[in-house]
Amino acid sequence: MPSKHQSNVATVSKNNTKAVCDSLWKLMADHGVDAYWVPSSDEHLNEYLPEAHKRREFLTGFTGSAGDALVFSEALTTLLKNLPVRLFVDSRYYEQADFEVDLETVHVSRQGLEGHPRLIDTLLALAKQKPGLKLGFDPFTVSAQAIQDLQKQCKSANIELVPLGENLIDRLWRENKKNPRPEAALNPVYSLPIDYSGRSTEDKINRLQTQLKDSRCEATVLTKLDQIAWLLNLRGQDIPYNPVFLSYVITTTNDVYFFCEKSRIEKSAIDSLPKSVKLLPYTDYASQLPIACKNKRVLFDPKHATSGTMSLLKQAKAIIVKEDNPVETDKAIKNAVELSWMREAHLKAATGKIRAFHWLEKTLQDKPESLNEKSFADQLEVFYSKEQDFKGLSFNTIAGFGPNSSIVHYGTPSETVKLKSGGLFLVDSGTQYLGGTTDDTRTIIIGKPDEKQIRCFTAVLKAHINCASQIFPKGTEGARLDGITRATLWQEKMDYGHGTGHGVGAFLNVHEGPCGIHRLASKPLLPGMIVSIEPGYYEPGWGGIRCENLYVVVEVSPGWYGFESLTYIPFDNRLIDFESLDSKQADWLASYQRAVVEKTGNRLEASVLAWLKENI
């Protein structure tokens, strides 16, 4: 599934990657490890990271939101006569990785392509060259589940996983004078009133404590930042685009231990917390967890908590009960109040994007030389920001023209790439308004399309419509809908490397679990969950197409579910082969385009509304 990322950190330049490796080799030798694993995640298993946690980026220069690095020791590099760093990326980053890393130091392993091994395959191959291979890692930057799975796979090869007491990248980064590690962000933390959350903090905590008792547990640990923000009805801005803040929570059946610096929490936010919430410094988490959980039965979600946290629980002699944390599902099922604000946020975002496309067409007529990827992205944000309660973007806008539209994670719109007639323009953007998070993609044509552009766009649109109009029985997992969506494209021998859809938070992260529509989506879709539907097609050197809306899962009849659109932005009629649509697809599209006018018309200026009606 496409995710979006652009770094604000001054990353190490390509010619400095080798210098970082030279220093890292010394530390690896001191710790006696043959390889060092640098994952993309951090202490909270974030997809998008605070600046101070972008360790893999500091090492390699690669800014993508997913992809792990493996550093070989000096001795192993010499033995193998290979590059010292292996970077593992999925299909979203095949092109981007090559642009960003030093290819004389970093070997890019493109997952899913023949001859490009996975991290585990690489380790098993190394173990044949270096029996007794020792892999070092920071246990607080990888999930407990990931380590357990890796241990099982490495056992037969006699590979030893060595959790280290310090993060080696952090140590090097602190000592780097040219690019010193930034201080951790400590932005204000504020309360989200019940008028926006729909449920009180006390009610959410009471439900979690009841769920613990039902599972015969006495405590649970929350390390995911969006889970904590949702549970406590608090928001912050420690991570670009995500209204969350660095913190931990330990919940027992009686108390809640909230690890976050009191000095940065607004007084009204502190006053909003129930008396059962005990506020402690963020840095006290590791020392207090063994005390709070000593000898207790602890519900522990190994997918959403780190291996380091599990080690702390073992030190406390806690009885670890491995289950999905109930907060994850509760957060994903939006209540009526959350849905009302999500609908409002999407209408605000839709009016902003419609105004931007109207502006684009007018500028193409008046001042075409002024149009480029960046000028459009900047103007789009201006239109977004004019709506009330705008809190910022939900990710860095992807505005890719021509060949750049094929780069799935193209998050750096360029001033030098002009918008010229005949090219596809893919605009994937999202917003944060108070109460709502949005994410949508439209692909339009600049000028007149050719036959191939129409054929490919129509195939992608038909795939979108087939999923959006699908009804499905209670208990259906997202993986099943992924195949339904791809079927139309497969008939055209077309496909896309990302998932069909991801969950979305309510004024939270633009990517959230446990719901989704992709081959690994094993959780049933439930009413109130919000997912994207975003099939695509990407051809390097030619261009890319993506059609994305957000939908809420609704019950259409007893035991049967479907999708209700939240996004109301027109599809580009110039790119649609209407004759190839079947009757159901044509009816869906006509109804949707009419709904765009009905939903947004009273929010638009007369000239923009007239343009919209003329182009639908």
Side-chain angles (χ1 to χ4, degrees):
M1 66 196 77
S3 57
K4 305 90 184 171
H5 176 75
Q6 181 186 29
S7 173
N8 292 315
V9 124
T11 57
V12 7
S13 63
K14 289 185 177 183
N15 59 4
N16 279 340
T17 304
K18 180 61 169 64
V20 174
C21 287
D22 289 341
S23 298
L24 186 57
W25 280 344
K26 298 174 183 177
L27 296 181
M28 291 170 64
D30 291 343
H31 286 277
V33 296
D34 304 297
Y36 188 65
W37 179 17
V38 184
S40 64
S41 59
D42 67 351
E43 291 84 340
H44 301 280
L45 304 179
N46 287 313
E47 176 184 16
Y48 302 110
L49 305 179
E51 300 302 309
H53 292 183
K54 294 179 178 178
R55 296 158 177 129
R56 186 218 55 214
E57 181 177 327
F58 171 79
L59 170 67
T60 66
F62 174 61
T63 65
S65 62
D68 294 352
L70 188 65
V71 183
F72 306 146
S73 69
E74 184 175 16
L76 199 56
T77 300
T78 302
L79 174 67
L80 299 174
K81 297 180 181 179
N82 206 338
L83 300 182
V85 181
R86 182 73 58 90
L87 177 66
F88 303 87
V89 301
D90 62 37
S91 63
R92 297 170 294 179
Y93 299 110
Y94 286 173
E95 294 182 74
Q96 181 179 333
D98 278 356
F99 295 152
E100 294 184 333
V101 306
D102 173 14
L103 295 175
E104 294 183 358
T105 305
V106 182
H107 175 84
V108 179
S109 187
R110 297 169 176 78
Q111 306 299 273
L113 294 185
E114 187 175 352
H116 290 257
R118 300 170 299 162
L119 187 143
I120 180 58
D121 300 324
T122 300
L123 291 174
L124 294 176
L126 289 175
K128 294 179 180 178
Q129 300 288 326
K130 178 67 170 64
L133 183 81
K134 293 185 177 181
L135 174 66
F137 66 98
D138 177 354
F140 284 95
T141 62
V142 289
S143 73
Q145 186 68 58
I147 292 301
Q148 289 172 7
D149 292 344
L150 193 60
Q151 283 176 328
K152 290 178 183 178
Q153 294 170 306
C154 289
K155 187 176 180 179
S156 62
N158 196 30
I159 298 172
E160 182 182 354
L161 303 189
V162 183
L164 304 182
E166 65 172 339
N167 189 294
L168 303 188
I169 300 298
D170 284 354
R171 181 168 166 183
L172 291 178
W173 203 353
R174 285 193 298 268
E175 297 170 356
N176 190 292
K177 294 180 181 179
K178 291 184 179 180
N179 182 23
R181 188 185 186 203
E183 295 294 326
L186 295 176
N187 296 308
V189 176
Y190 56 94
S191 64
L192 185 69
I194 194 170
D195 290 348
Y196 290 90
S197 69
R199 288 176 60 191
S200 69
T201 305
E202 187 170 17
D203 175 55
K204 292 179 179 180
I205 290 173
N206 288 341
R207 174 168 167 77
L208 176 56
Q209 291 173 330
T210 297
Q211 290 168 325
L212 289 176
K213 293 173 184 176
D214 291 343
S215 296
R216 296 177 58 245
C217 291
E218 300 165 279
T220 191
V221 181
L222 301 182
T223 63
K224 282 193 67 185
L225 302 185
D226 60 336
Q227 290 181 351
I228 295 168
W230 177 87
L231 178 70
L232 300 180
N233 286 331
L234 300 177
R235 297 294 189 269
Q237 195 63 63
D238 288 352
I239 301 177
Y241 313 119
N242 299 283
V244 297
F245 49 93
L246 295 177
S247 56
Y248 293 99
V249 161
I250 301 170
T251 301
T252 71
T253 50
N254 296 310
D255 298 301
V256 177
Y257 300 92
F258 176 31
F259 297 88
C260 186
E261 279 66 26
K262 183 177 181 179
S263 60
R264 70 189 186 112
I265 306 176
E266 295 181 356
K267 184 179 183 303
S268 59
I270 294 176
D271 293 342
S272 72
L273 298 174
K275 293 182 180 179
S276 62
V277 177
K278 304 180 188 302
L279 191 55
L280 298 167
Y282 176 80
T283 52
D284 283 2
Y285 170 71
S287 61
Q288 290 299 312
L289 186 146
I291 298 172
C293 296
K294 186 175 183 180
N295 297 323
K296 285 186 170 66
R297 286 178 59 87
V298 179
L299 188 153
F300 180 80
D301 187 341
K303 297 186 298 299
H304 295 136
T306 65
S307 178
T309 292
M310 176 176 266
S311 295
L312 293 174
L313 290 173
K314 289 179 178 179
Q315 292 174 24
K317 297 183 178 179
I319 301 170
I320 298 174
V321 180
K322 296 179 182 177
E323 290 185 12
D324 292 343
N325 198 297
V327 170
E328 187 75 351
T329 298
D330 282 359
K331 171 173 57 65
I333 301 174
K334 279 63 177 178
N335 59 50
V337 172
E338 289 174 314
L339 287 175
S340 68
W341 287 111
M342 286 291 279
R343 291 187 178 99
E344 176 64 16
H346 279 77
L347 291 178
K348 291 176 180 178
T351 56
K353 205 156 193 175
I354 291 169
R355 287 179 179 128
F357 285 139
H358 171 259
W359 171 87
L360 172 62
E361 187 163 301
K362 191 173 184 300
T363 308
L364 279 170
Q365 296 171 355
D366 300 338
K367 295 182 179 179
E369 70 282 353
S370 67
L371 278 174
N372 55 64
E373 292 174 339
K374 189 175 187 302
S375 66
F376 178 85
D378 290 345
Q379 187 61 47
L380 176 60
E381 185 170 359
V382 169
F383 285 123
Y384 282 151
S385 67
K386 290 181 177 180
E387 297 293 324
Q388 188 175 3
D389 292 328
F390 178 71
K391 297 295 184 181
L393 301 178
S394 59
F395 55 89
N396 195 61
T397 297
I398 295 172
F401 175 74
N404 287 342
S405 60
S406 73
I407 304 173
V408 180
H409 286 226
Y410 182 70
T412 53
S414 171
E415 290 181 305
T416 62
V417 179
K418 303 293 184 179
L419 306 187
K420 300 176 182 179
S421 182
L424 293 169
F425 189 34
L426 187 154
V427 183
D428 187 347
S429 58
T431 60
Q432 296 284 7
Y433 292 103
L434 187 62
T437 302
T438 78
D439 179 9
D440 57 73
T441 307
R442 286 296 180 268
T443 306
I444 66 171
I445 186 68
I446 304 298
K448 293 183 178 180
D450 61 29
E451 184 278 332
K452 180 178 179 180
Q453 290 168 334
I454 293 174
R455 176 173 56 82
C456 293
F457 180 89
T458 303
V460 173
L461 179 59
K462 287 163 70 173
H464 180 105
I465 294 172
N466 288 347
C467 186
S469 59
Q470 182 68 49
I471 63 171
F472 48 93
K474 178 181 179 180
T476 299
E477 304 91 352
R480 297 188 182 187
L481 296 180
D482 184 71
I484 289 172
T485 310
R486 294 177 192 271
T488 300
L489 289 169
W490 288 346
Q491 289 298 110
E492 300 290 332
K493 297 182 176 63
M494 298 165 62
D495 201 2
Y496 47 98
H498 55 77
T500 297
H502 56 85
V504 178
F507 190 37
L508 274 173
N509 294 357
V510 75
H511 293 155
E512 75 164 18
C515 57
I517 304 176
H518 50 86
R519 64 183 181 84
L520 299 178
S522 59
K523 298 296 182 183
L525 294 169
L526 300 171
M529 289 181 168
I530 293 174
V531 294
S532 67
I533 296 178
E534 49 183 307
Y537 175 69
Y538 313 94
E539 189 175 317
W542 174 77
I545 297 164
R546 187 157 63 249
C547 296
E548 177 188 16
N549 284 358
L550 296 194
Y551 295 87
V552 58
V553 179
V554 296
E555 186 172 46
V556 296
S557 64
W560 287 89
Y561 301 155
F563 295 112
E564 173 196 314
S565 184
L566 295 174
T567 306
Y568 288 97
I569 302 167
F571 294 101
D572 191 342
N573 280 349
R574 296 169 297 177
L575 283 165
I576 303 172
D577 177 6
F578 287 93
E579 292 185 0
S580 74
L581 303 180
D582 64 31
S583 60
K584 289 184 178 180
Q585 293 164 346
D587 288 347
W588 185 97
L589 180 60
S591 176
Y592 180 82
Q593 302 282 62
R594 286 195 302 270
V596 170
V597 176
E598 293 168 2
K599 297 281 187 179
T600 65
N602 63 349
R603 296 167 179 258
L604 297 170
E605 299 80 6
S607 60
V608 181
L609 178 57
W611 170 84
L612 175 63
K613 290 179 177 179
E614 190 177 312
N615 286 276
I616 282 185

